[in-house]
Amino acid sequence: MVKRLTKHGNSLALVIDRGVLDLLEIDADTPLSMTTDGKCLIVTPVRDPERQKQFRAALEEGHRKYGKMLKRLAD
């Protein structure tokens, strides 16, 4: 999908199609984080910190339980 920036006052805006918004489950009230790797603009929705905390806890638990087995499988 190729997009063009549109003039919005003294700034430029990127219009995101409804299908993409629905797919990412974002709307006008969703905070977005913008970063770059020096060549690309990366826009990601900012997710609930409590949900992130729960995810990290589950990831650590999985690593604690299965980390050694997964390492052996990778070797």
Side-chain angles (χ1 to χ4, degrees):
M1 170 184 317
V2 175
K3 302 294 277 181
R4 292 194 184 269
L5 297 175
T6 56
K7 188 99 168 125
H8 186 75
N10 289 332
S11 300
L12 296 174
L14 177 65
V15 178
I16 303 171
D17 296 334
R18 171 59 51 197
V20 174
L21 295 172
D22 292 342
L23 178 68
L24 296 175
E25 298 178 355
I26 61 176
D27 59 24
D29 296 324
T30 305
L32 300 173
S33 171
M34 292 180 34
T35 58
T36 181
D37 65 1
K39 294 182 181 184
C40 296
L41 176 65
I42 304 163
V43 181
T44 54
V46 175
R47 298 297 180 195
D48 179 15
E50 182 59 33
R51 185 174 175 169
Q52 290 290 330
K53 184 179 174 183
Q54 290 173 350
F55 172 76
R56 292 190 192 286
L59 188 62
E60 288 175 15
E61 177 69 11
H63 181 68
R64 185 185 64 75
K65 281 185 177 179
Y66 306 110
K68 289 180 184 177
M69 176 194 61
L70 292 171
K71 180 156 177 47
R72 284 195 312 263
L73 284 172
D75 291 339

